Every structure is written in structure tokens, then in C-alpha cells.
Amino acid sequence: MKFLVNYIKTYLDRDLFAIIASMKKDLKKIAIVRLSALGDIINSAVVLQFIKQFYPSVQVDWICEEMFQNALESAFHLDTIHSVNIKKIKKEKSFSLLIQTIKELKSLDDYDIVIDMQGLIKSAIVARLIGKNTHGFDKNSTRESLAALFYKTTSSIPYETCVVERNSFVVGDALDFTITQEMLVNKQPVFRQTQTFAFKKDKKNIGFVIGASWESKIYPKELVVKVCDLLMERCYIIWGNAKEKEDALWICKHSKHAELAPKMTLGGLISYISQLDLVIGNDTGPTHIAWAQNIPSITLFGPTNERMIYQTQKNIAIKSPSKVNILKIDKNDFSIREIPYEKVVQKAKELLC
């Protein structure tokens, strides 16, 4: 009898949880709204495997900005991606595109529940256009409190909480299950690999993500050179636009251990990072891919802080000396330049052991 009990506890817990969850909610179709940005979408997509764990037969769709659709196309456990182009609507002030977008959203499937993981007014409106049974953060848990007016039900969690934990909580709360710390630590890779890259195995292969959305989030290229020189491994400099490529070429010119990474789509970048031994980078989407794919990583923080990642034994943060008010980010905080390159090298060697 004791053996049977232990067997059930060890091997059947997930099935039992799924049965209990399905008794609470008879769900057939779920929509997730997370429009942007790349790093936030990467950090949010981890919930998909847990939704399917508790609701194996449910259809899960995702609504995002058009420019990020390519990244989600390789996500496990995602059925359909619907894209919008709100950024273009705002930039061009296009009324016709706005009307077209509204019509397209209102014509989507009749979802049992729509979960807004972003918590902004724009994402809340998108969620409400899709369906009436909407769920999101309450007015005290997001920067734009008016967004809560568009939800039928809400979740309460401090805005200062780690973004991965916030994402996990709002989804679990909406669907009547709990995503535990253990589940996050032992997660499966979030994305499938769609390409294979011919990395040499004579040394460790390290990716260095040198770009970011703000100048103050970027670690100086001169210090990147020092890190590459001291590590003496193969350091591939990952870039995403013309300015970043120019800096990447400068780094490669000044360090014999640095090599230019190829130009890639977002889908290709996910496969590329998934095959590296370590990723070092700024607080930006490509760096977050490493955590999503269970690849060791070091994220460098200046004007933002560790809240933006889920730290594990192999996914760590190095923060500059500055104090960060997450509710009022100072984009003129260039303290990332004060992070000692020696510390980056030390942590990298520890993770490569």
C-alpha cells in the first residue's frame, strides 16, 4: 500500500492536478495578450508549458505586435499567433488601419478566457475586443491602473515583483493553478530549435549581446573587448541593426577572440543562442532567450535591475552600483559603465566550469 501511495505521489501528481483543474474550469480556448517587447514576450512564453500541463487539450492563442511574431513561431505549446500593428497605427495615425485592426480582433475565436499579461491600456483594450471574459492585473499591480477597468477579473501582485513571477502568477490565478518556483527552475526549453549552426568545439562558444533599447543599458564596447581577451574563448558578438553591427565590427577588430555573429531572424537567433555555452549581455530580449532555453547567462544591469530576469544557479545578474526605482526608470543612468570587466570574467569562468 505504501509503495502504491508513493507511486501515485511521484508519477501521477501532474495528471491529478490536470483533472482537478479541468473540474474547476471547462476550458477549450485561451487567448494570451502580450504585445511587446521582445524580452517581455520571451519571459512570458514560459507559461505555455504549464498551461498545457494542467489543460492538455486546450487551444492556446497569442496576440502580439507584428514585429515579434517570428519569435513566437517556434514556441512549444502554442497553437495560433495573431498579430497587430499598433506601433504602425500610432506612428502613421492611420484611422483606416485602426478600424481594420478592431474588426480583425473582434472576428477572432470565441475564447473562454482572455488573459492580458502586459497590463497596459492598449493591451487591455485588445483583450476586451477579443472577448468579454478578460483577466489581468488589478489597478494596484500595474503602471497604467486604468487598464484594470477592461478586465472582468483581476490578480493582485506587487509591480516590483520579478517579471517572470508576475507572468506566472497572473496566468495561474486566472486558470486556477499555481506555477511554483520548482516548476520554473526545472522548466523545459520554451522554444524549439529550427536551425543548426556549425560551432567549433575546440573552445567554449560564448555569445555577447551588445545592443539594447536605450544607450544607458549598453555595456561599453571597450569593456566587451577586455572581457573577450581575458576569457580567451570564442566570443560571438551578436548584433541586430546597423549601429550594433558597426560596434560589433569594432570589437572584433580590437580582440582576436571576438567574432561577428551572422545576421539572423528572431527565429534564427533563438536557435543560435540555444547552441551556445554561455550568453553575456545587456538587459534586452536576446539575452533573455538564454534563460528561456536553459543556457547559462549573465545579464548586465544599469538603469534597470534584477527584477527583469528569473535568476537561477546558471542565470545570474550583475548590477551596477546605482539604485533603481522600477516605477520611475532613469534612462540617463549610465552606471552600467561602472561594472568591472574583471567581475564579468570571473562569473563567466564560474558558469563555464
Side-chain angles (χ1 to χ4, degrees):
M1 177 62 72
K2 185 176 180 181
F3 171 80
L4 180 60
V5 171
N6 289 336
Y7 179 89
I8 292 174
K9 286 183 178 179
T10 304
Y11 296 101
L12 301 184
D13 273 355
R14 291 187 177 183
D15 292 336
L16 290 172
F17 286 147
I19 292 170
I20 292 169
S22 64
M23 291 171 62
K24 291 182 177 180
K25 288 181 181 290
D26 182 20
L27 299 178
K28 296 179 180 179
K29 296 179 182 178
I30 298 172
I32 291 176
V33 178
R34 178 80 230 195
L35 304 174
S36 60
L38 178 61
D40 294 311
I41 288 174
I42 296 297
N43 283 332
S44 300
V46 68
V47 302
L48 295 170
Q49 60 188 272
F50 304 126
I51 293 174
K52 290 288 189 173
Q53 175 181 319
F54 287 92
Y55 297 92
S57 60
V58 76
Q59 174 182 320
V60 184
D61 295 356
W62 194 298
I63 294 83
C64 70
E65 281 277 4
E66 188 176 279
M67 68 178 72
F68 302 118
Q69 181 169 344
N70 183 241
L72 282 168
E73 285 172 351
S74 61
F76 288 109
H77 312 297
L78 184 58
D79 293 287
T80 307
I81 306 165
H82 301 286
S83 65
V84 294
N85 208 332
I86 295 175
K87 193 168 186 178
K88 185 177 180 180
I89 292 172
K90 291 174 65 176
K91 183 178 180 180
E92 299 182 0
K93 296 180 174 58
S94 173
F95 183 72
S96 61
L97 181 56
L98 173 62
I99 297 300
Q100 177 188 336
T101 301
I102 291 173
K103 287 181 178 179
E104 289 175 355
L105 288 171
K106 294 186 76 171
S107 69
L108 294 183
D109 288 341
D110 185 17
Y111 294 102
D112 296 304
I113 187 169
V114 182
I115 306 172
D116 178 14
M117 297 179 70
Q118 191 152 3
L120 299 179
I121 293 173
K122 65 178 181 180
S123 60
I125 292 174
V126 168
R128 188 61 183 80
L129 287 170
I130 296 170
K132 294 181 180 179
N133 190 21
T134 54
H135 185 93
F137 296 102
D138 72 12
K139 65 178 182 179
N140 298 316
S141 303
T142 184
R143 288 189 294 114
E144 297 184 3
S145 58
L146 290 178
L149 296 175
F150 295 89
Y151 309 134
K152 183 177 179 180
T153 57
T154 58
S155 295
S156 178
I157 184 171
Y159 183 72
E160 297 82 0
T161 306
C162 163
V163 293
V164 174
E165 293 178 358
R166 277 172 56 83
N167 296 337
S168 300
F169 179 78
V170 74
V171 169
D173 196 32
L175 302 178
D176 288 335
F177 65 83
T178 300
I179 299 174
T180 66
Q181 300 286 334
E182 182 181 4
M183 291 163 69
L184 288 171
V185 169
N186 296 309
K187 73 181 190 308
Q188 297 299 311
V190 176
F191 303 95
R192 62 178 59 86
Q193 297 184 43
T194 58
Q195 292 180 238
T196 301
F197 293 87
F199 290 108
K200 296 180 180 179
K201 300 299 182 181
D202 57 328
K203 294 183 178 181
K204 297 292 185 180
N205 293 298
I206 302 171
F208 214 122
V209 180
I210 62 168
S213 53
W214 319 326
E215 186 68 27
S216 57
K217 292 170 72 174
I218 296 176
Y219 197 56
K221 59 186 179 183
E222 295 82 5
L223 298 184
V224 174
V225 167
K226 292 182 180 294
V227 172
C228 294
D229 285 345
L230 286 176
L231 286 176
M232 294 188 291
E233 305 287 357
R234 295 187 181 277
C235 295
Y236 297 93
I237 313 303
I238 297 171
W239 55 279
N241 56 42
K243 175 61 170 62
E244 290 174 14
K245 183 177 183 180
E246 180 182 332
D247 290 340
L249 289 170
W250 186 93
I251 292 167
C252 293
K253 180 180 178 181
H254 289 81
S255 174
K256 65 180 181 179
H257 299 287
E259 300 182 32
L260 186 71
K263 181 179 180 180
M264 293 173 278
T265 63
L266 287 177
L269 179 61
I270 289 171
S271 295
Y272 190 85
I273 287 175
S274 301
Q275 295 164 45
L276 294 170
D277 297 301
L278 172 68
V279 173
I280 305 171
N282 307 311
D283 174 20
T284 187
T287 311
H288 300 326
I289 291 171
W291 170 77
Q293 297 301 92
N294 296 333
I295 299 298
S297 65
I298 299 173
T299 308
L300 307 176
F301 290 96
T304 54
N305 64 14
E306 299 90 333
R307 169 188 180 270
M308 307 307 295
I309 66 170
Y310 188 85
Q311 293 198 71
T312 69
Q313 289 186 341
K314 63 180 182 180
N315 302 106
I316 66 171
I318 299 180
K319 175 71 180 77
S320 71
S322 71
K323 300 294 182 181
V324 171
N325 178 359
I326 203 64
L327 298 173
K328 193 176 181 181
I329 296 294
D330 180 9
K331 292 186 178 182
N332 292 314
D333 172 8
F334 286 87
S335 62
I336 194 170
R337 299 171 180 176
E338 300 174 41
I339 295 177
Y341 65 87
E342 298 93 341
K343 185 174 184 179
V344 179
V345 172
Q346 176 193 345
K347 293 297 182 183
K349 288 182 176 179
E350 291 174 5
L351 289 172
L352 289 169
C353 288

